[in-house]
Every structure is written in structure tokens, then in C-alpha cells.
Amino acid sequence: MGLAIELDGLKALVTGSGQGVGLGIAKTISAAGAEVVVNDLSEERANAAADAIRTAGGKAVVSCFDVTRYDAVAAALAQLGGVDVLVNNAGNAGGLGWPGMKPFAETDPADWEPFLRVNLYGVMNCVRAVLPHMIAKGYGRIVTIVSDAGRIGESHMGAYCAAKAGAAGLTRGVAREVGRHGITVNNISLGTMRTPMSEAMWSNPDGPQAKALMKPYMIRRPGDPSDPAGLAAYLASPMASWITGQTFPVNGGYSVGQ
Ligand SMILES: NC(=O)c1ccc[n+]([C@@H]2O[C@H](COP(=O)([O-])OP(=O)(O)OC[C@H]3O[C@@H](n4cnc5c(N)ncnc54)[C@H](O)[C@@H]3O)[C@@H](O)[C@H]2O)c1
């Protein structure tokens, strides 16, 4: 018999799981037995994701709310009766989008807010809203998807780096508070992925832009949503009960030695 990650009986909220990394994680967590709460801003994407999970034999419900609005997050969590697992995945590339990234010296304060609102405040809202139920239950798993841009630094992405580094810091602070309640809090730090968010960079995967991007990666391809999914499922499981406050790079070897 093989070793299996068992999430039977657990309810797992994956924010922004209508597509991309979140969908990859939602599918894997569901395959491990959890009931997945598919969240997204887009009802169409969330419903399609939940249908795909059900078609594969998993359990999924849809809860569409905007992670940047604390009142909406808290209302959704009250309706769900809390969750056992939270994967903070919803993120954005800010108002500028990937191709519009620019040097920090050329940004306006108004450019920063969209990055911070989703990638930092969105995470804070969700963590705050799930904790009371987890504390009462004496069990909880929180996994936050951050970025090597915030962990190591990336040019033309200052506000995004700040937001992701802030979310990673929240993990470490909260992990210290809630370990005694059986709750673990960890980060997965991603390298460059191929998802709808970053598709513009991969329109020509064999072109010079894609090749230059992949040069520092030991594994010369962008990450696929399935790449971090197994680690997310493991961190969400009872097996990972002595792992908390950590950041795990999933990045094709990009940052080895950094
Ligand atoms: N794509 C990359 O190269 C890359 C690299 C490092 C880290 N990440 C991180 O991985 C995570 C997922 O990225 P992705 O590439 O799959 O993105 P994506 O844009 O393809 O998908 C993100 C999903 O989140 C949803 N979403 C956005 N804002 C939301 C909000 N306020 N409330 C609820 N849902 C919201 C979107 O509707 C979308 O369906 C993000 O946190 C991102 O910062 C991505």
C-alpha cells in the first residue's frame, strides 16, 4: 500500500481557485479527500472549477466573495460554519498587469494599492476570519501562496514584492500565536508559473523573452499549477502537524544558494 495524504472529513477553502495555481491546488486537495470551497471573483470560473472537481469524483461547493472586503469574507465564513484548511492563493499582478510593470521610481502611490489590497490585505482578511473557528476546534492549517519576487526581490515589481513579503511575515507572526491551538501556518513561495496571470510572458515559449526568463531556473520550464499542489495538500494534512512558520520555495531550483 502506498503512502497517501488523507484530507477526508476536512473542509478546505482555496481562494482564487477558479483558475491557475488555485485550481491546481483545489483539484489535488479534493483528490486527497477534502471538501473544497472554491472561491473566486468570477462566478463563471468558480462554477466551472467546482464542476470539474465533482466530475473527477470530488466534493466542491462554491463561495464567491472578494478577499479584499473583510465584511464579505467574514459573512462567507459564517455561512460556511468555518473551515479546517485555508489556502490563501488569490492574488493579482496589480492594476498594471505583468507587461505594465515598471521601475519603482516611475510608479505613483496610486499604482501600489491594487497590489497591496489583494496580495496582503486579502490574506489578512481571510486569516483573521478563519481563526476563531480553527481555535475553537483545536485544528487548522493555513497555507499562503507567496512569491520569490517577495522573498528574493524582483525588479519592476516593488509593490508586489512588498505585498508578498508582508503576507509571508504575517504567516510567521500568526504561527507563533496559534501553534498551541493545533494550527499551523506556512508559506509556499513560487517561482515563475505558467497561468492565466502570466500567460502574456509565455505567448512564445521558445522565443527570446521566455528563454531569458528561464535561464536562472535549473529546471528550464515555468511552473505548472500542479507543481505546488502536492506540497499544499501535505501542509494541509494532519501529517504536517510539526511544521509551522516556514516558507517553502517551489521554483524549479531558481533560488538555490540565494
Ligand atoms: N503566475 C506566476 O508566475 C506567479 C508567481 C509567483 C506567485 N504567484 C502567486 O500565485 C497565486 C495564483 O496566481 P495565478 O498565476 O494562478 O493567478 P491567476 O490570475 O491566473 O488566478 C488568480 C485567481 O484569483 C482570483 N482573484 C483575484 N483577485 C481576487 C479577489 N480579490 N477575491 C477572490 N478571488 C480573486 C482571480 O479571479 C483568478 O481566478 C497568486 O497569489 C500569485 O501572486 C504567481
Side-chain angles (χ1 to χ4, degrees):
M1 198 174 89
L3 177 69
I5 295 172
E6 296 280 357
L7 300 178
D8 285 328
L10 298 178
K11 194 190 287 182
L13 167 62
V14 185
T15 65
S17 52
Q19 67 180 23
V21 171
L23 178 56
I25 291 173
K27 283 179 173 171
T28 299
I29 281 183
S30 147
E35 178 188 10
V36 176
V37 181
V38 178
N39 158 264
D40 208 285
L41 279 180
S42 156
E43 257 178 61
E44 195 186 336
R45 283 202 288 273
N47 283 323
D51 283 347
I53 288 169
R54 289 187 208 110
T55 302
K59 283 178 266 172
V61 295
V62 167
S63 179
C64 286
F65 56 84
D66 181 345
V67 298
T68 68
R69 289 187 42 222
Y70 183 74
D71 55 347
V73 178
L77 262 299
Q79 198 176 26
L80 290 165
V83 293
D84 307 294
V85 175
L86 165 67
V87 180
N88 287 305
N89 165 80
N92 69 358
L96 303 170
W98 288 100
M101 301 286 187
K102 49 187 175 183
F104 194 67
E106 294 173 20
T107 60
D108 294 318
D111 295 331
W112 311 335
E113 206 194 321
F115 294 90
L116 294 164
R117 215 178 317 133
V118 183
N119 297 295
L120 178 56
Y121 279 102
V123 173
M124 294 173 83
N125 289 336
C126 292
V127 171
R128 172 65 184 85
V130 300
L131 279 179
H133 173 87
M134 289 181 176
I135 290 169
K137 193 169 175 182
Y139 182 91
R141 297 284 181 267
I142 298 175
V143 180
T144 295
I145 304 301
V146 295
S147 169
D148 276 2
R151 197 171 63 88
I152 298 169
E154 193 59 73
S155 54
H156 297 188
M157 297 175 77
Y160 179 78
C161 294
K164 289 299 195 186
L170 177 76
T171 289
R172 290 186 285 272
V174 173
R176 285 202 179 272
E177 296 175 10
V178 299
R180 67 183 189 281
H181 299 294
I183 302 168
T184 68
V185 196
N186 290 291
N187 301 312
I188 294 178
S189 181
L190 299 179
T192 299
M193 310 292 290
R194 184 166 188 174
T195 68
M197 177 196 275
S198 51
E199 189 53 34
M201 301 191 300
W202 305 109
S203 50
N204 179 7
D206 296 320
Q209 188 198 13
K211 281 198 166 146
L213 266 169
M214 282 300 98
K215 215 169 170 195
Y217 285 81
M218 292 181 183
I219 312 283
R220 295 277 170 102
R221 63 166 175 84
D224 180 82
S226 61
D227 287 317
L231 177 59
Y234 172 69
L235 292 173
S237 76
M239 285 164 95
S241 64
W242 212 52
I243 302 173
T244 195
Q246 306 301 314
T247 298
F248 298 94
V250 174
N251 62 9
Y254 174 75
S255 59
V256 173
Q258 299 193 54

